[in-house]
Amino acid sequence: SAILKKLLEGFSEIYIKDQDVKESFAISLICYNSESKKIYFSGISQSVFILSDNEIKEIKSQNSFLILKKNDFNDQEFTIKKGDRIYFYSDGYYDQKSEETNRRMYKSGLIKQIEETKNLILKKQVKVLKDHYNKFKRNKERIDDVTLFVVEIA
């Protein structure tokens, strides 16, 4: 959370200055303590998913407009174990529209894909998620940045 506080201060000073702008950005940060097997999560307008014991849990961040709120960000603490997976993603993955239907995938579509592929080895799961995105999008123009990466605890 200390990193987010500094980032928010710097971003506000550089980007906003004296403008009356209501801009925000999305970010998820995790610190992992390998000795205690704990993660500390802090985020602005961007959650992460954790797959543990075959169950997917969304870890929600704080929502914040840079100008209106200078929140004190708090870390959320979780204990994790070997084999747990943490999914980082941008909204561009699930906001993408399908060429076929012109409808968005939505976060529920991403969760469904994770659920359907959760028993695959990590490398295979990531490939299937990437292939699903590309098949969904087909030749439709990409509307936003797309990030999806998964960390598996060893």
Side-chain angles (χ1 to χ4, degrees):
S1 62
I3 294 170
L4 286 182
K5 289 175 192 173
K6 282 291 187 191
L7 194 62
L8 185 61
E9 287 173 16
F11 191 81
S12 293
E13 288 174 15
I14 294 168
Y15 182 69
I16 308 293
K17 290 274 182 183
D18 295 321
Q19 301 174 31
D20 185 24
V21 179
K22 294 177 182 142
E23 290 290 332
S24 68
F25 63 94
I27 187 169
S28 296
L29 296 174
I30 285 186
C31 179
Y32 174 56
N33 183 323
S34 60
E35 290 179 19
S36 68
K37 297 291 186 196
K38 291 187 186 247
I39 59 169
Y40 303 90
F41 168 76
S42 190
I44 300 173
S45 301
Q46 186 63 51
S47 60
V48 296
F49 298 126
I50 296 180
L51 174 64
S52 182
D53 295 326
N54 244 3
E55 188 177 316
I56 300 168
K57 181 177 181 180
E58 182 178 11
I59 310 303
K60 295 189 176 188
S61 65
Q62 295 175 265
N63 291 321
S64 174
F65 282 98
L66 295 179
I67 291 288
L68 300 178
K69 297 178 185 175
K70 295 214 174 184
N71 291 337
D72 287 332
F73 294 99
N74 298 313
D75 291 330
Q76 298 179 57
E77 182 180 314
F78 300 92
T79 301
I80 54 175
K81 62 188 174 312
K82 183 177 180 177
D84 286 356
R85 293 180 183 175
I86 305 168
Y87 298 80
F88 296 85
Y89 56 90
S90 66
D91 60 354
Y93 186 95
Y94 59 80
D95 279 346
Q96 180 61 48
K97 291 186 176 180
S98 165
E99 180 182 56
E100 189 175 306
T101 65
N102 203 37
R103 297 181 78 174
R104 289 191 163 110
M105 183 183 310
Y106 296 107
K107 195 183 289 188
S108 59
L110 174 56
I111 292 169
K112 181 180 178 199
Q113 287 302 307
I114 293 171
E115 182 69 39
E116 290 176 359
T117 60
K118 66 185 179 186
N119 294 318
L120 297 175
I121 62 169
L122 181 61
K123 191 172 183 177
K124 177 70 173 168
Q125 183 190 36
V126 170
K127 181 180 181 338
V128 170
L129 292 171
K130 180 180 175 183
D131 290 348
H132 176 265
Y133 172 83
N134 288 328
K135 184 178 177 185
F136 181 84
K137 180 180 90 57
R138 291 197 180 152
N139 294 318
K140 186 87 169 169
E141 182 179 344
R142 192 177 73 203
I143 59 173
D144 199 356
D145 64 289
V146 177
T147 302
L148 174 68
F149 72 92
V150 185
V151 175
E152 184 172 81
I153 304 303

